[in-house]
Each structure stands twice: as structure tokens, then as C-alpha cells.
Amino acid sequence: MRVLTLSLAVFWATASAAQDIASEAGPLRVSPVVEGLDSPWSFGFLPDGTILVTERDGRLVAVRDGARHEITGLPRVYAGGQGGLLDLLVPADFAESRELYLSYSRPQEGGAGTALLRARLSQDGTALEAAETIFEMSAGSSGGRHFGSRLVEGADGMLYMTMGERGDREAAQDLSRHNGTIIRIGRDGSVPRDNPFVGQEGAQPEIWSYGHRNPQGAALDAEGRLWVNEHGAMGGDEVNLIEKGANYGWPVIAYGRHYSGGRIGEGTEKPGMQQPVSYWDPSIAPSGMAFVEGGAWDGDALVGSLKFDYIARLSGDPLTEVERLASDATIRVRDVAQGPEGDIWFLSEGNGTLYRAALPAGG
């Protein structure tokens, strides 16, 4: 396991440079593609070239050839604190199914919880049809913290969704609740029979792994393995390789401390609980994650930093931060992805802009 450290002097020197991003592989020419976004959270690509962007207040925006419109048909969204319209998944078979999946904060008795919506995009691309909430977390929680939430279509065709513990620390160790878990379900919301806790009394059958705090980035690597990054407390943001049925420890073990300075749980390790592959100290508030295919960064992961305004490049075994990519474009990077043509796209919440950057060529 590696600890990821941040040199603030190096970071601020890079961030004060021009919008184009300097990197060890050469400069990245950055171009704004969609501007004027309001608290954007995620984005996705359709086969016809349309770009979809979620805005946390509850809007789904479509952009094509410079024109934009808001897609109708979304359910009521709880847009408070960190909650709202969150992640977007365009499945691999969209051209045939026209299905979209969106995670959002759903109003519930006693508060709100992370939920998953399935819908079809109309043929004219203006509305969601047959919209159905196929999953929502149990036992709504008050407050606006720690909803997660990233969506990944697994190599097995199942849907994986990350959920924060909603600020209720102990719930992350309680299998009777969905707080602080990653779930695995079918595309119709059904529970796969090979999920690890199916048939276990008192356990939610959708749970795939647990003991998470607030995972806001998730992606598959070239081998089809699921990785997440998650917000720790102070000095404990983590990169985790997700395994079936595993317990990732929060809040029994953790790196870093509570914001008050107090010690967390029982220390940094305990038998039966997974260690992170690497962690950040100080915390960077990671969000958005993508593995790169091709070019100089083939096999590397990119992770956005909300706190320090850069994109982390992670490489090696163990996967660890090796470079910080920063410019005035990388303010609160909420999401990052590799586009259909191989370029790197990232969403700056601070600038309200979706950017595109050419991937450095391999050496």
C-alpha cells in the first residue's frame, strides 16, 4: 500500500500556469466544449455525438453541434447539501436499447437516500420515457452528506452503484442497511443470485461490499476489475480494489483522523478488513475516475480532485499517484472520462465547464 502525498508548492505553481495542462508526456491542449453549467456532476456520450450532462439541482442537459436543451421526464430530486441528480450511465447497448441509468437523491420518509433510475431516451432525444426507480437505499437519512454515488456497468453486465454512509458512520458496518456500500443489481433492479449476502438473515441482498465512507469515483480497469476512490476524513481518502463481500473498514479502521483531530476507530488495520491500495494525506476530496486506454498513459487511472483542483494520474502496482495535472481549467474536477475518440474529458464544477484534452501519444 502506498500513501499519496501532495506538495502544495508544486501544485500551486502548476495551477497558476496557462489553461493548457503541462504533463510529463508533453502539454495537453485543453478546449472547453460545454460552458455555463450549473453544479455539473457527470457526463456521458451517445453514439450520435450528443453529450449528456447532469446538473445537481435536477437537470439533464443534452448538447449536440453547439445547441443544448433540457431533457424532461426526471422524477422529483432531493437537491440539498451534497444531494441531487448525480451520476449518469450510458450502457454499452444504448444504440439498441436507448436505456439510460441515473443515480439521484430521492426524497424518503425521514430524509433522503441514494436511488437509481432506469429510463429510455425518446427517439427525438428530448424526454425520458418509461422512467422507473429500480432501486433506492433503505431507511432514509436526514442531512445532506455522503450520497456517493457512481455507476458502473460491470464486465458481467451487472450494475454497480456506490453509496456513502450518509454521515451515519456506524451504518457502514450494518448489513441490514445500504449505507456505505457498493451494490450489485441486474439492469431491471433484480438481485443476482450470486451476490455475497443473498440468503443471509438481516442482510440487504443487493450489497456487494461494505464499510465505505463516501465513494465518489468508480471505474473498471482493462481486466474488468472494479476500483473506487472514496472520501475519508482528514488525511484518509482511499483508492480501493473492490472484492466480492469484502469489508473496507469504515469507521472501525481508517487512515487519517476526524476533522476534530480525534482518532478514528481502532487504528489503521484489523483482521477481516481490507486495506486500501493507496491513500492520500492530505485528503484531496477525490471524485470521478477513469482508466486510460492507449497513448503514453495506457493502463493508468485519472482521478479528479475537488479540494486541490487537479487531476491525479495514478500508475504502477500498487496503483499510486505519480503526477498532478493542473491548470485554471481543473477547478473542482467532478468527473473524468476517456471519450469515444480517445481524448480525455473532464468536468470542472468550479468553472461550470466540460473540457476536452488530447491524450499524449505513447513514447
Side-chain angles (χ1 to χ4, degrees):
M1 181 185 63
R2 293 284 301 278
V3 55
L4 307 179
T5 59
L6 175 66
S7 168
L8 291 177
V10 172
F11 165 71
W12 286 118
T14 306
S16 62
Q19 178 170 296
D20 289 351
I21 299 175
S23 83
E24 295 173 0
L28 282 68
R29 183 69 65 182
V30 178
S31 302
V33 179
V34 185
E35 300 178 287
L37 297 166
D38 184 8
S39 298
W41 216 91
S42 65
F43 64 96
F45 306 97
L46 301 187
D48 67 358
T50 298
I51 301 168
L52 300 180
V53 183
T54 64
E55 294 180 324
R56 195 160 46 83
D57 284 350
R59 287 175 295 275
L60 178 59
V61 178
V63 181
R64 180 168 172 79
D65 297 329
R68 71 174 76 189
H69 66 267
E70 183 177 343
I71 294 174
T72 62
L74 285 165
R76 181 187 168 204
V77 172
Y78 170 84
Q82 297 169 2
L85 184 61
L86 303 173
D87 206 14
L88 164 72
L89 170 64
V90 181
D93 69 352
F94 174 85
E96 295 77 38
S97 69
R98 297 196 65 81
E99 283 187 341
L100 296 173
Y101 293 85
L102 297 111
S103 66
Y104 72 105
S105 305
R106 180 178 172 89
Q108 295 177 320
E109 184 178 353
T114 307
L116 178 57
L117 183 80
R118 178 181 67 174
R120 289 194 307 271
L121 185 64
S122 62
Q123 286 297 325
D124 63 6
T126 64
L128 298 181
E129 300 174 339
E132 177 187 7
T133 297
I134 61 172
F135 171 85
E136 62 179 293
M137 68 186 301
S138 59
S141 301
S142 61
R145 292 188 295 159
H146 301 178
F147 288 93
S149 133
R150 289 294 173 186
L151 298 171
V152 173
E153 183 178 16
D156 55 8
M158 300 298 172
L159 302 180
Y160 294 80
M161 183 167 75
T162 74
M163 281 177 289
E165 31 79 303
R166 296 289 285 108
D168 184 351
R169 297 170 191 159
E170 303 306 321
Q173 292 293 319
D174 182 356
L175 289 173
S176 71
R177 303 178 67 183
H178 292 112
N179 303 49
T181 69
I182 296 172
I183 65 160
R184 174 180 182 254
I185 59 175
R187 286 179 52 165
D188 59 355
S190 60
V191 176
R193 287 183 292 180
D194 61 343
N195 271 9
F197 303 108
V198 168
Q200 179 172 319
E201 185 176 356
Q204 295 288 351
E206 297 90 355
I207 294 175
W208 185 252
S209 64
Y210 65 109
H212 301 283
R213 184 174 183 268
N214 189 24
Q216 286 197 7
L220 299 182
D221 65 12
E223 298 177 39
R225 299 179 299 175
L226 178 63
W227 294 76
V228 303
N229 63 65
E230 55 186 284
H231 291 226
M234 186 169 60
D237 296 344
E238 297 182 354
V239 177
N240 283 307
L241 177 60
I242 302 304
E243 298 181 8
K244 177 180 180 179
N247 180 354
Y248 288 81
W250 178 258
V252 180
I253 61 170
Y255 289 84
R257 289 183 171 268
H258 291 303
Y259 296 116
S260 65
R263 184 170 179 263
I264 296 173
E266 301 177 17
T268 58
E269 58 184 278
K270 185 173 182 176
M273 294 184 177
Q274 297 293 114
Q275 285 287 296
V277 172
S278 53
Y279 69 96
W280 280 276
D281 188 5
S283 299
I284 70 166
S287 187
M289 187 176 194
F291 281 89
V292 178
E293 295 183 10
W297 298 339
D298 185 49
D300 291 355
L302 301 178
V303 172
S305 167
L306 294 167
K307 183 177 181 181
F308 290 123
D309 302 332
Y310 71 99
I311 299 171
R313 181 168 69 87
L314 281 61
S315 190
D317 185 10
L319 193 66
T320 189
E321 183 182 289
V322 295
E323 185 175 17
R324 295 178 289 275
L325 308 167
S327 78
D328 55 2
T330 58
I331 307 301
R332 286 187 60 82
V333 175
R334 176 62 74 175
D335 199 8
V336 59
Q338 188 169 19
E341 298 176 357
D343 288 349
I344 301 303
W345 294 66
F346 61 94
L347 194 57
S348 165
E349 181 182 291
N351 293 329
T353 301
L354 177 65
Y355 295 95
R356 179 177 184 173
L359 180 67

